[in-house]
Amino acid sequence: MFGMLKHHLHPGILLLFMWLCHLMEHQKVQAGNCWLQQGKNGRCQVLYMPGMSREECCRSGRLGTSWTEEDVPNSTLFRWMIFNGGAPNCIPCKETCDNVDCGPGKRCKMNRRSKPRCVCAPDCSNITWKGPVCGTDGKTYKDECALLKAKCKGHPDLDVQYQGKCKKTCRDVLCPGSSTCVVDQTNNAYCVTCNRICPEVTSPEHYLCGNDGIIYASACHLRRATCLLGRSIGVAYEGKCIKAKSCEDIQCSAGKKCLWDARMSRGRCSLCDETCPESRTDEAVCASDNTTYPSECAMKQAACSMGVLLEIKHAGSCNCK
């Protein structure tokens, strides 16, 4: 057939026809599937775009991007991804760390399988405080560099709230800038910024009864009072405070249960669906009923089952002090 065309077509058209055939054949070989990552099993995972050449797929230079040459139907791709752990014959775009940009706080490093990987490596050269720091997650880190590594590994909102170990009191906490130290309901010290201006509330629907028995016009007013006091007040229940004789007089919102504070003759609505993890030996607490509980969570579970309010007197066994 090609011989017959040779005799009937103009030489220029013939050359154009041959070039198009070559281009189509080239495109057929180069077309494949672009993937966002290569799994530990060596297969391509997370399909980005089908029908892409390797050059197009790897143009971004993103570490982890991979390419497969096979031009297969969607049903085969689906079977590979669901049942086979990814596509076979996976070709990573990057085989070395050359020209790899991992972004701020990270650097490229060859792993044990000789594959380039981005690892957390924050710049700690400008950190002057070398001691432990308390993070905004309430956890103590051995230094700010360790906190930056934790931030890089999946906690983007993590920051230093104050220098030194996380404390249970504001006595020795020096908060940065205009922030103020507040002890929350779990007896942990936090540095927060006080909002001293709250909008005027006209609707009684926003009223809250604080754990101190005072009516607050809104959640903003309660947070402001907490900030100025330096200790968490907390919400007893929604609406104005009432002179309740027992928990039967208090209506809690869905998911909460009323716990009676015998010392103050007040009720408090609390969440009672918490599941406690296995307790460590150093988590024991002495509660206000002079009973030792394996953890604060276990104390709250006991309070919910009895319908009475329990608070921590001190950490450790009641027999220790």
Side-chain angles (χ1 to χ4, degrees):
M1 181 179 176
F2 184 73
M4 292 173 63
L5 286 171
K6 203 172 180 181
H7 292 292
H8 291 86
L9 291 176
H10 187 276
I13 297 176
L14 182 62
L15 285 171
L16 179 62
F17 177 75
M18 291 173 68
W19 180 78
L20 286 171
C21 287
H22 174 75
L23 182 64
M24 289 171 67
E25 184 66 24
H26 182 70
Q27 288 288 82
K28 183 179 178 183
V29 172
Q30 289 297 314
N33 298 293
C34 190
W35 306 78
L36 290 179
Q37 67 183 41
Q38 184 181 31
K40 291 182 179 180
N41 58 7
R43 291 174 172 261
C44 280
Q45 297 172 345
V46 189
L47 181 64
Y48 171 63
M49 186 76 70
M52 289 186 78
S53 68
R54 188 172 191 271
E55 183 182 352
E56 291 172 319
C57 178
C58 298
R59 191 171 291 159
S60 67
R62 181 184 175 275
L63 191 64
T65 304
S66 303
W67 185 78
T68 52
E69 187 178 6
E70 289 88 354
D71 186 11
V72 296
N74 290 337
S75 58
T76 303
L77 287 175
F78 179 80
R79 190 176 69 252
W80 280 346
M81 288 187 285
I82 301 300
F83 301 108
N84 294 18
N89 305 321
C90 187
I91 305 170
C93 289
K94 289 286 185 181
E95 295 282 9
T96 69
C97 280
D98 294 342
N99 301 318
V100 172
D101 182 12
C102 291
K106 293 185 178 182
R107 65 180 177 87
C108 184
K109 182 181 179 182
M110 302 299 288
N111 66 9
R112 292 178 181 176
R113 295 183 293 117
S114 297
K115 297 289 183 183
R117 289 290 181 264
C118 286
V119 296
C120 291
D123 181 11
C124 302
S125 58
N126 295 326
I127 296 174
T128 54
W129 174 259
K130 302 299 181 183
V133 293
C134 182
T136 48
D137 58 353
K139 295 180 180 178
T140 299
Y141 294 85
K142 67 175 184 177
D143 53 37
E144 189 173 344
C145 197
L147 182 141
L148 290 174
K149 286 180 181 178
K151 181 174 183 173
C152 169
K153 289 180 178 179
H155 302 279
D157 298 327
L158 180 62
D159 286 304
V160 175
Q161 60 171 337
Y162 55 85
Q163 294 175 346
K165 294 181 179 180
C166 293
K167 297 178 173 63
K168 297 285 186 181
T169 173
C170 285
R171 187 167 55 246
D172 300 318
V173 174
L174 181 62
C175 291
S178 60
S179 59
T180 304
C181 182
V182 172
V183 177
D184 70 0
Q185 286 179 294
T186 58
N187 294 316
N188 289 308
Y190 286 89
C191 288
V192 298
T193 302
C194 292
N195 180 15
R196 297 178 184 276
I197 301 173
C198 289
E200 188 175 344
V201 177
T202 56
S203 173
E205 293 179 357
H206 296 99
Y207 285 6
L208 296 171
C209 179
N211 288 337
D212 54 359
I214 296 173
I215 301 169
Y216 294 92
S218 69
C220 178
H221 289 82
L222 188 143
R223 285 195 299 270
R224 184 179 67 180
T226 290
C227 230
L228 297 174
L229 181 66
R231 178 173 50 81
S232 177
I233 296 170
V235 179
Y237 47 86
E238 296 174 358
K240 291 185 176 182
C241 298
I242 60 173
K243 290 184 178 180
K245 294 181 179 179
S246 69
C247 272
E248 292 181 3
D249 300 328
I250 298 170
Q251 186 175 357
C252 295
S253 57
K256 291 188 175 183
K257 179 180 179 180
C258 177
L259 304 181
W260 190 252
D261 183 354
R263 184 173 63 88
M264 302 298 294
S265 295
R266 288 199 291 256
R268 181 184 302 184
C269 293
S270 302
L271 287 169
C272 282
D273 58 353
E274 189 176 3
T275 302
C276 296
E278 190 173 341
S279 304
R280 302 194 309 266
T281 53
D282 61 343
E283 290 183 321
V285 295
C286 178
S288 50
D289 63 348
N290 293 318
T291 301
T292 302
Y293 294 92
S295 65
E296 183 179 355
C297 182
M299 180 196 75
K300 289 179 179 178
Q301 278 191 337
C304 285
S305 64
M306 294 185 291
V308 296
L309 181 71
L310 293 177
E311 293 180 318
I312 297 174
K313 283 181 67 177
H314 59 78
S317 171
C318 292
N319 298 326
C320 294
K321 289 190 177 182

